[in-house]
Amino acid sequence: MNQNPTSLMPASRPSFDYSPYAVTYQNRAEYVPAVIDALVRVAEVPAGGSICDIGAGSGHLTEPLLRRGFSVDAVEPTPAMRQLGEQRTRDYPNTHWYDGRGESSGRQADTYALVTFGSSFDLTQRPQALAEAARILTGTGYFACLWNHRVLDDPLQARVEQLIHDRIPDYSYGIRRTDQTPVIAASGLLETPVTLSGTQVFRLSSEAWCDAWASHSTVSQQSGNGFTSLVDEIRDLVRAETGDWIDVPYTTRAWVARVAGDGKDSQR
Ligand SMILES: C[S@@+](CC[C@H](N)C(=O)[O-])C[C@H]1O[C@@H](n2cnc3c(N)ncnc32)[C@H](O)[C@@H]1O
């Protein structure tokens, strides 16, 4: 992970380069649809309302938002991810893709009903990203961050997890599995977040699910040279335990927070 101070980074430079993960990222499970529905309801996004999806990647959250009829400006710093996202959403006229980061999106102030970070808030300098979200939100807008968490007490997932911990004894999920409430509250720019979660079992192609491990940046960063062989071991385990299809339970967890009246005022 690049540790340079954010202020020294040009607008387009990602804090963490996703280029090596772009192609296999496509095989990841979708977010639990009921959680996305609840999120836009809690955020009171009007029909056809404007959303800015930051760290939009290959459009994994952008596309479901577009499918629900919203207009989505997608901001993504990694060109390889952005190209896949543009391709995936090319049939939607109400989307535009931009180079930018959570900390400096390049989008206009006071514009969006909702700013989303799908599995990308942990890759930002979070206080700066919150300030940027508050800047581009309207005075009644909402910030949301969400992640898909594999359910680790599922029997097969528990074995995959054990394998990861055997190979990386100090393995940690870092920020992506932690409560985001304290950092959001500390910003003073947003109200206390509402948390939403929902679990769904996704039936996925076993091979595609194994391929998607190659896009797991958290494991990749911590396993170093052992990453390829760890992904191979996960594949061997899954092949021994499943057929063409694998049922994987995921919990989508979201934090949704409204702009605080005085938070917006203090930025003026
Ligand atoms: C795990 S992917 C998530 C992609 C997509 N939003 C999704 O829901 O699947 C994280 C994305 O965040 C991008 N990213 C990295 N650093 C970032 C930053 N500082 N601000 C915004 N996005 C960033 C990466 O390039 C990558 O595309």
Side-chain angles (χ1 to χ4, degrees):
M1 172 99 52
N2 191 311
Q3 297 294 335
N4 285 345
T6 315
S7 57
L8 297 181
M9 290 179 190
S12 61
R13 185 168 163 197
S15 324
F16 181 77
D17 183 9
Y18 251 74
S19 311
Y21 309 109
V23 172
T24 47
Y25 197 91
Q26 301 272 63
N27 295 325
R28 288 202 170 191
E30 59 182 306
Y31 294 107
V32 173
V35 174
I36 299 185
D37 288 335
L39 191 166
V40 293
R41 250 193 335 266
V42 168
E44 305 171 291
V45 187
S50 280
I51 299 176
C52 185
D53 185 30
I54 298 187
S58 54
H60 233 52
L61 178 58
T62 319
E63 202 271 335
L65 292 171
L66 287 166
R67 220 186 303 139
R68 285 165 174 77
F70 300 111
S71 293
V72 187
D73 283 349
V75 173
E76 167 55 43
T78 304
M81 294 292 271
R82 200 167 57 244
Q83 276 156 22
L84 290 170
E86 281 172 327
Q87 237 168 42
R88 181 170 173 180
T89 58
R90 65 177 177 263
D91 292 335
Y92 293 92
N94 50 343
T95 186
H96 292 96
W97 283 77
Y98 300 94
D99 184 7
R101 296 185 295 114
E103 302 85 342
S104 53
S105 67
R107 300 298 85 225
Q108 222 178 350
D110 296 309
T111 301
Y112 300 100
L114 174 66
V115 171
T116 52
F117 287 80
S119 309
S120 55
F121 189 47
D122 54 316
L123 296 167
T124 68
Q125 304 292 325
R126 289 179 298 163
Q128 285 97 315
L130 289 167
E132 176 65 354
R135 184 186 70 79
I136 62 175
L137 283 167
T138 65
T140 55
Y142 281 78
F143 157 91
C145 56
L146 60 154
W147 288 265
N148 245 1
H149 293 154
R150 241 171 351 109
V151 175
L152 301 180
D153 51 14
D154 168 80
L156 179 53
Q157 295 310 320
R159 293 185 59 194
V160 170
E161 207 53 20
Q162 189 58 52
L163 186 56
I164 295 170
H165 283 276
D166 288 347
R167 299 295 171 263
I168 314 170
D170 297 329
Y171 181 66
S172 154
Y173 279 100
I175 292 168
R176 67 188 306 282
R177 277 190 185 247
T178 62
D179 183 11
Q180 305 300 312
T181 305
V183 73
I184 295 170
S187 74
L189 301 170
L190 297 155
E191 293 178 354
T192 305
V194 169
T195 55
L196 302 169
S197 72
T199 301
Q200 187 169 320
V201 177
F202 291 94
R203 175 155 290 190
L204 304 163
S205 145
S206 301
E207 286 303 314
W209 187 76
C210 292
D211 289 346
W213 275 96
S215 73
H216 203 301
S217 63
T218 313
V219 173
S220 164
Q221 281 173 280
Q222 294 175 54
S223 54
N225 291 339
F227 184 51
T228 308
S229 59
L230 175 53
V231 173
D232 288 344
E233 283 187 275
I234 293 173
R235 193 183 298 278
D236 290 344
L237 173 62
V238 168
R239 278 185 180 156
E241 297 290 326
T242 69
D244 291 344
W245 301 97
I246 180 172
D247 289 331
V248 189
Y250 282 93
T251 299
T252 299
R253 290 200 171 82
W255 284 257
V256 190
R258 191 175 190 273
V259 166
D262 51 354
K264 195 83 184 166
D265 293 344
S266 70
Q267 288 195 324
R268 294 188 200 284

